[in-house]
Amino acid sequence: MVKKTMAERREGMLRKPEWLKIDFNTNEDYMDLKKMMREMNLHTVCEEAKCPNIYECWSVRKTATFMILGSICTRGCRFCAVTSGKPTELDWAEPERVADSVAKMGLRHAVVTAVARDDLEDGGSEVFAETVRAIHRKMPNTTVEVLPSDMKGTYESIKTLMDSKPDIFNHNIETVRRLTPSVRHRATYDRSLELLDRVKTIAPDVPTKSSIMLGLGETKEEIIQAMDDLREHRVDIMTIGQYLQPSFKHLKVQKYYHPDEFAELKEIALQKGFSHCEAGPMVRSSYHADEQVNSEARQRQFGGCAQ
């Protein structure tokens, strides 16, 4: 088999616009945090998913999204840079290591996500729950946001996770309904919506959150319909960002949205009743997550849309 040249691989790829340039800031804070993660044998979605905000979050905000349940995902979504394959065994000491790291960093808000573990009957919900409880024990004033897979939509798994009392439940629909089969692997649009709605039934006071990425070929009408679908399933917070192709084997970018387009979509989302919306080319699901917690708290305290 003849390997394609770099030029052939780049054929058909859109050129990144000026507003998508990223400042690389690998200062001392960034390097110290990276060293700590390796010493604690922890994974972060910041690194695994090649997040464009890693330098800002690690260097300036000193925040990170911990990725538990290993670094190998049982799914192979065509937008995601996380390694897929056969996962290793569970590490039951991981929850305490995550909690220790949260304490060492002095985080006011911690985000915990995970690879999909379809090989496990509970989808990894028990380890997830133990991680939340460990953080609460060691850092009782730290709010915890969880970002799990759909855990195959199993009610018992969702209940196990919610019994650990996370402060925010986040699960991403990722894209619009029409594109879901070609973008997400083993996940369905309706299952994700049902999961978010079930969380509200189990824990009505816990804010729910979801995210979509743009640039995969969706229309504006489909984006607005996704907003309506999320609101219909009682989702409180929404984030909207630009899809960036992680490698040549992943889906190509069909469009780069201008910041003005993101600003318009944010306004539409707030008008539809979301308590908070982050929208922009570099926005990711956990971007400025601490601010979203505060916004949701204000919304519940005073009522109305927190803008």
Side-chain angles (χ1 to χ4, degrees):
M1 182 178 179
V2 179
K3 288 186 177 181
K4 291 184 177 181
T5 65
M6 186 68 72
E8 288 173 327
R9 286 183 168 188
R10 290 184 181 278
E11 187 179 354
M13 292 180 63
L14 297 180
R15 185 181 181 87
K16 287 183 182 179
E18 287 297 313
W19 62 79
L20 271 174
K21 287 189 175 180
I22 303 168
D23 291 328
F24 294 95
N25 184 16
T26 55
N27 62 16
E28 187 175 348
D29 289 334
Y30 172 87
M31 298 308 296
D32 286 347
L33 185 51
K34 189 178 183 72
K35 180 182 178 183
M36 185 193 76
M37 292 296 182
R38 299 296 79 79
E39 290 174 347
M40 301 290 279
N41 192 27
L42 294 175
H43 303 282
T44 69
V45 77
C46 319
E47 297 170 284
E48 299 291 339
K50 301 179 181 179
C51 180
N53 302 309
I54 187 170
Y55 305 101
E56 176 191 352
C57 293
W58 284 27
S59 300
V60 181
R61 302 180 74 91
K62 294 185 180 179
T63 62
T65 299
F66 299 92
M67 189 172 77
I68 62 173
L69 298 172
S71 60
I72 301 175
C73 185
T74 54
R75 301 184 185 181
C77 297
R78 297 188 64 203
F79 68 89
C80 184
V82 174
T83 302
S84 60
K86 186 177 180 180
T88 56
E89 68 278 358
L90 289 180
D91 180 358
W92 286 97
E94 188 174 45
E96 291 296 326
R97 293 202 308 277
V98 171
D100 287 340
S101 297
V102 171
K104 188 173 181 179
M105 294 171 68
L107 299 183
R108 290 175 298 175
H109 181 72
V111 182
V112 182
T113 189
V115 292
R117 290 296 300 264
D118 294 326
D119 58 313
L120 302 174
E121 187 174 346
D122 73 343
S125 62
E126 187 55 48
V127 175
F128 231 123
E130 279 299 315
T131 304
V132 176
R133 285 191 283 264
I135 296 172
H136 282 327
R137 282 195 304 271
K138 294 189 177 181
M139 296 288 285
N141 294 322
T142 298
T143 51
V144 183
E145 177 177 329
V146 293
L147 174 54
S149 72
D150 58 27
M151 295 181 289
K152 296 178 283 189
T154 306
Y155 179 87
E156 290 75 15
S157 298
I158 302 167
K159 182 71 163 56
T160 294
L161 176 51
M162 295 311 297
D163 283 348
S164 67
K165 301 189 183 306
D167 296 280
I168 284 190
F169 182 90
N170 185 356
H171 175 74
N172 297 331
I173 58 171
E174 307 290 7
T175 187
V176 299
R177 179 186 294 276
R178 175 177 59 87
L179 296 177
T180 295
S182 61
V183 173
R184 303 173 70 194
H185 182 220
R186 295 184 188 170
T188 71
Y189 189 82
D190 287 317
R191 183 194 288 171
S192 288
L193 292 174
E194 289 166 6
L195 172 71
L196 289 158
D197 199 66
R198 279 184 171 182
V199 167
K200 272 296 186 187
T201 299
I202 295 169
D205 293 333
V206 174
T208 52
K209 173 181 169 183
S210 193
S211 175
I212 61 171
M213 53 191 167
L214 307 184
L216 290 165
E218 65 290 319
T219 66
K220 184 176 181 180
E221 290 73 22
E222 288 176 317
I223 298 169
I224 293 173
Q225 182 60 57
M227 292 180 185
D228 290 336
D229 292 339
L230 289 173
R231 290 299 297 142
E232 184 179 342
H233 289 80
R234 300 183 280 179
V235 174
D236 303 295
I237 300 168
M238 185 178 190
T239 59
I240 309 171
Q242 171 69 52
Y243 167 66
L244 300 176
Q245 185 178 355
S247 76
F248 293 115
K249 70 178 182 179
H250 291 88
L251 292 169
K252 291 182 179 180
V253 178
Q254 301 299 313
K255 174 184 175 179
Y256 287 113
Y257 283 71
H258 189 275
D260 290 346
E261 293 178 280
F262 280 105
E264 180 188 4
L265 290 171
K266 177 177 180 176
E267 285 303 312
I268 293 172
L270 292 173
Q271 289 168 12
K272 288 185 176 294
F274 289 99
S275 63
H276 187 90
C277 178
E278 287 277 355
M282 294 298 184
V283 168
R284 295 297 178 267
S285 185
S286 301
Y287 189 60
H288 293 185
D290 53 334
E291 295 178 6
Q292 294 162 27
V293 174
N294 295 333
S295 175
E296 177 60 28
R298 289 194 300 272
Q299 161 74 358
R300 283 184 285 173
Q301 182 178 359
F302 301 111
C305 289
Q307 298 183 42

